[in-house]
Amino acid sequence: MSTMTMEQRLALNKYEVDTEAHIRLKQDVCLQCEARSCLYVCPAECFKEREGKISFSHEGCLECGSCHISCGPEAIEWSYPRGHFGVSYEYG
Ligand code: SF4
Ligand code: SF4
């Protein structure tokens, strides 16, 4: 059985990062949100809290859909990256 950490496993993945974000937050909803579940459900830690605001970076997104399920379309515009962009999984 492999003893690799989550960080080591994630480092195996390859990303073709699109300049256009495939996930967008609706900041007016986020500002009213107390749960901030995005900080806990995203395995890639794409969401950060800074000075009371949530920031998001799509570059390390694993396309798992957890944030979409957690927040719903009222808070997040969610789609897969365009064309050949996004993550390619490597299993080690
Ligand atoms: S992304 Fe979702 S969980 Fe995070 S602050 Fe916005 S509404 Fe709340
Ligand atoms: S789809 Fe998954 S990896 Fe991508 S931002 Fe949402 S929770 Fe994070």
Side-chain angles (χ1 to χ4, degrees):
M1 195 164 98
S2 173
T3 57
M4 293 175 75
T5 65
M6 177 65 86
E7 286 73 22
Q8 288 170 324
R9 287 177 184 276
L10 290 175
L12 292 174
N13 294 331
K14 294 187 174 72
Y15 299 89
E16 193 71 44
V17 178
D18 195 350
T19 53
E20 190 174 300
H22 59 286
I23 297 173
R24 293 176 201 278
L25 307 189
K26 299 182 183 173
Q27 281 292 349
D28 54 328
V29 177
C30 293
L31 282 171
Q32 304 296 323
C33 173
E34 293 183 5
R36 306 244 153 143
S37 57
C38 57
L39 299 173
Y40 309 103
V41 301
C42 178
E45 299 182 355
C46 293
F47 298 84
K48 304 278 186 215
E49 187 172 28
R50 291 194 186 95
E51 297 174 358
K53 287 186 73 175
I54 297 293
S55 64
F56 173 75
S57 59
H58 67 284
E59 287 84 356
C61 177
L62 299 168
E63 301 166 29
C64 68
S66 299
C67 58
H68 184 45
I69 294 167
S70 173
C71 298
E74 56 281 349
I76 288 183
E77 288 176 33
W78 198 97
S79 64
Y80 286 107
R82 298 182 297 169
H84 65 282
F85 292 110
V87 65
S88 299
Y89 286 100
E90 300 287 326
Y91 298 97

